Amino acid sequence: MAVFNQVDFDNHEQVVFCADKESGLRAIIAVHNTNLGPAVGGCRMWDYASDDDAVVDALRLSKGMTYKNAVARLPFGGGKSVIIGNAKEIKSEQLFRAFGRQLERLNGSYYSAEDVNITCDDVAIMNKETNYVLGLEGKSGNPSPFTAYGTFLGIKAALQHQRGHQDLTGIKVAVQGLGAVAYGLCKHLHEAGATLFVTDINQVAIDRVVNDFAATAVSIDEIYDLDVDVYAPCALGATINDATIPRIKATIIAGCANNQLAESRHGEIIREKGILYAPDYVINAGGIINVYYETAPEGYSVEASNKHVEGIYATLTEIFARSEKEQKSTHLIADELAQEIIKNGL
């Protein structure tokens, strides 16, 4: 496995492979950049098809965190970790304590938090072995509601830019993936009057959203073909690709998933197709913003966190305007903004 030759390797400062025989831990920690501060990004547990897939995910996600933290004006660098395995089968206190010891060995260059299939309880177990974790209950807590709120505001910003209003009454939204963040997003959308079409690999998650928010369930593959206003990718990444783009009828893509574009060129393809894309690491920054306030010198404040999350609307409005003026895809504009901040500081 030649990490340096991976397409997604971007001069990452550290890529650490972790193993613990007793607990069965197999994990990868990727520290992308620490120019603005210690690398911060969640830990994801997933049953990857191969170790190479896990490496690629860690590399891409950690770079995304560098850019996410920069554009959100946070004094954090970017990092990410992945634990390889089926969360329903391998979770144990022994495993998370072993992972906590791996975090401790990095001596503060990387702080972990919740991500896919990792809960506040799991992070609390890591915390028994290390202080290099964030998102703890009793402090900032579960970041999911803040990610959902920021994504909801991002959809409103996209509507305002494209249609001159942000009224969601009757707006049709296709939500792909119904985890904790997406559930919160569906709640916001439903309460604002949107019509929801949803899908997930978990039938229990589908039934919950259908029952709670009068959503219409569709198959995993059908979600791309719906005649909707907004496509909200909220599952794993790379769902905007050569196979799906010709099928997408939505004129706005705005969701909480990471790494939504399979390749950078897909951002320009959808721009030319007339689709307004809310760059993923901008719209889904609410959770990491909330986690930051756990470290704020004045102490955690939900009011300060929400106010900062509400800034996502203004940031996206700026990106959309620059994209239109420069005739350049929104994800490239977001990258340029992030690079400016990383180079020049907050």
Side-chain angles (χ1 to χ4, degrees):
M1 184 185 299
V3 174
F4 295 122
N5 295 328
Q6 288 276 1
V7 172
D8 295 294
F9 181 79
D10 183 59
N11 293 313
H12 285 67
E13 294 177 11
Q14 290 179 292
V15 181
V16 181
F17 292 81
C18 312
D20 180 76
K21 184 177 180 181
E22 285 71 27
S23 66
L25 174 72
R26 292 187 303 139
I28 301 166
I29 301 171
V31 176
H32 177 250
N33 185 286
T34 56
N35 281 13
L36 298 178
V40 178
C43 176
R44 168 174 297 189
M45 182 178 282
W46 195 255
D47 195 10
Y48 293 96
S50 69
D51 291 348
D52 280 350
D53 287 350
V55 171
V56 168
D57 211 23
L59 293 176
R60 294 191 73 189
L61 290 167
S62 58
K63 179 181 177 180
M65 287 306 305
T66 297
Y67 283 29
K68 178 186 295 191
N69 291 335
V71 173
R73 307 307 202 282
L74 299 175
F76 291 157
K80 204 79 174 186
S81 52
V82 299
I83 296 176
I84 301 169
N86 187 325
K88 295 179 180 178
E89 298 174 359
I90 71 166
K91 277 193 177 188
S92 69
E93 177 163 353
Q94 190 180 23
L95 182 139
F96 288 119
R97 293 190 76 138
F99 185 70
R101 292 192 293 272
Q102 296 287 349
L103 295 176
E104 185 68 17
R105 292 190 180 105
L106 295 180
N107 200 32
S109 63
Y110 167 69
Y111 284 71
S112 189
E114 296 89 346
D115 195 48
V116 175
N117 288 326
I118 299 292
T119 68
C120 291
D121 289 341
D122 300 330
V123 175
I125 297 172
M126 299 174 198
N127 190 216
K128 293 179 180 179
E129 302 287 345
T130 183
N131 289 323
Y132 300 128
V133 291
L134 297 169
L136 294 166
E137 288 290 357
K139 295 186 179 180
S140 67
N142 183 1
S144 296
F146 297 88
T147 308
Y149 181 46
T151 305
F152 172 67
L153 294 175
I155 291 173
K156 294 180 74 172
L159 278 171
Q160 181 65 45
H161 179 82
Q162 188 181 76
R163 305 189 182 190
H165 70 84
Q166 51 185 293
D167 182 8
L168 280 149
T169 305
I171 295 293
K172 293 179 285 187
V173 184
V175 182
Q176 179 185 42
L178 299 172
V181 175
Y183 179 86
L185 174 61
C186 288
K187 184 175 189 295
H188 285 298
L189 291 169
H190 174 68
E191 290 174 352
T195 301
L196 301 176
F197 299 85
V198 301
T199 194
D200 194 279
I201 59 174
N202 183 343
Q203 189 61 46
V204 173
I206 293 173
D207 292 343
R208 184 185 182 202
V209 174
V210 168
N211 292 334
D212 291 356
F213 309 128
T216 299
V218 300
S219 69
I220 294 290
D221 189 58
E222 188 184 357
I223 198 78
Y224 301 108
D225 300 311
L226 300 178
D227 186 9
V228 295
D229 303 289
V230 180
Y231 163 52
C234 298
L236 295 184
T239 62
I240 304 169
N241 55 53
D242 289 331
T244 61
I245 289 173
R247 299 167 60 185
I248 295 172
K249 298 180 178 66
T251 59
I252 292 171
I253 297 178
C256 58
N258 290 310
N259 297 327
Q260 295 172 23
L261 301 175
E263 299 176 36
S264 180
R265 64 185 177 85
H266 293 125
E268 184 59 23
I269 292 171
I270 59 176
R271 186 188 74 82
E272 291 177 351
K273 193 179 177 184
I275 298 173
L276 181 62
Y277 171 57
D280 45 32
Y281 63 77
V282 181
I283 194 172
N284 69 14
I288 194 65
I289 289 170
N290 185 59
V291 163
Y292 161 71
Y293 282 91
E294 186 174 317
T295 73
E298 61 275 18
Y300 179 73
S301 164
V302 68
E303 293 79 15
S305 178
N306 271 322
K307 185 176 180 181
H308 197 147
V309 171
E310 287 164 3
I312 290 172
Y313 185 103
T315 301
L316 283 170
T317 298
E318 176 189 351
I319 289 168
F320 295 152
R322 283 178 57 173
S323 170
E324 193 169 283
K325 181 180 179 181
E326 299 177 27
Q327 289 297 291
K328 188 183 294 185
S329 61
T330 55
H331 81 290
L332 294 179
I333 297 294
D335 286 356
E336 290 173 3
L337 179 59
Q339 290 159 4
E340 290 166 10
I341 296 167
I342 293 164
K343 179 180 178 181
N344 301 320
L346 298 172

